[in-house]
Amino acid sequence: MKLMNISIALAVAFGFAAVAPAQVIIRHGHRPTVISGPTNQTGLNAIQSDLISAIGSMKSALPIYDGNRVRAIHAAHNALVLVDHAIAGARAAKRPSPTVTDHVKFANAKSKYNQQQIAASQTSMEEGLNYLKLAYRDLEATVGSTPNKQGIKAGELIQKSEREAATALALHGNRA
């Protein structure tokens, strides 16, 4: 009888022990900032790289997009910050916010820049938009069908950035 009681107690203890590693322990009130349940480090690194490339491409474009380029860059930067936190947690390095302006109005762009400069700027914006689309596809592949709040927010920011970049391209005749 004693052996049976001990066996039952051990079975229950092993049952709890088997489930315990799957639980998240929150210490000192900090919640983990993971974009999805099981993190895919390679996918997060790909998203990070895509967003850095998108921001760089859009920053190299001319300041002729009536604020759409700026809003696209800032939305992509905010998504990048979320990805940084998903990768490194609380110890993620703080990325400085990009300081960009679209100080030349769309209507005045052709008087300030020639057609080749505007075409090169459009190419940079298109490249940035393509990187944003790639970042969103990588995000979908990384988070799967069960994203958490950070994953959803990152997706919304990337989509906002895509819309703003597409609007900027449309101002000067989108070739994409």
Side-chain angles (χ1 to χ4, degrees):
M1 192 66 154
K2 286 184 181 183
L3 186 57
M4 190 163 147
N5 288 341
I6 292 172
S7 298
I8 292 174
L10 286 174
V12 171
F14 285 128
F16 284 124
V19 177
Q23 297 174 351
V24 175
I25 298 170
I26 300 173
R27 294 189 174 106
H28 308 294
H30 295 285
R31 293 197 175 273
T33 55
V34 178
I35 285 199
S36 67
T39 12
N40 178 346
Q41 193 66 32
T42 305
L44 290 173
N45 289 338
I47 298 166
Q48 185 181 48
S49 175
D50 296 338
L51 289 172
I52 290 169
S53 297
I55 292 168
S57 293
M58 292 186 291
K59 281 176 76 173
S60 70
L62 295 173
I64 57 174
Y65 295 101
D66 290 345
N68 297 105
R69 177 183 73 108
V70 173
R71 288 186 291 275
I73 290 169
H74 285 287
H77 174 264
N78 292 337
L80 180 57
V81 168
L82 289 174
V83 173
D84 287 345
H85 285 299
I87 292 171
R91 67 179 197 275
K94 181 165 172 50
R95 285 188 188 271
S97 188
T99 53
V100 290
T101 60
D102 282 346
H103 58 274
V104 177
K105 295 291 181 196
F106 160 73
N108 300 333
K110 290 185 179 168
S111 64
K112 185 159 173 110
Y113 300 103
N114 64 37
Q115 194 59 36
Q116 290 82 13
Q117 289 172 313
I118 293 173
S121 181
Q122 286 288 91
T123 301
S124 293
M125 285 300 294
E126 287 173 0
E127 188 176 284
L129 179 59
N130 289 334
Y131 278 119
L132 289 169
K133 290 177 180 179
L134 184 59
Y136 191 76
R137 283 193 301 269
D138 288 342
L139 178 70
E140 286 180 322
T142 300
V143 301
S145 61
T146 58
N148 66 7
K149 288 180 185 178
Q150 288 82 13
I152 292 168
K153 182 69 175 168
E156 290 170 351
L157 288 166
I158 293 170
Q159 287 180 325
K160 177 183 178 183
S161 185
E162 284 182 39
R163 285 190 305 272
E164 292 292 344
T167 301
L169 281 165
L171 287 175
H172 294 281
N174 185 1
R175 298 183 317 239

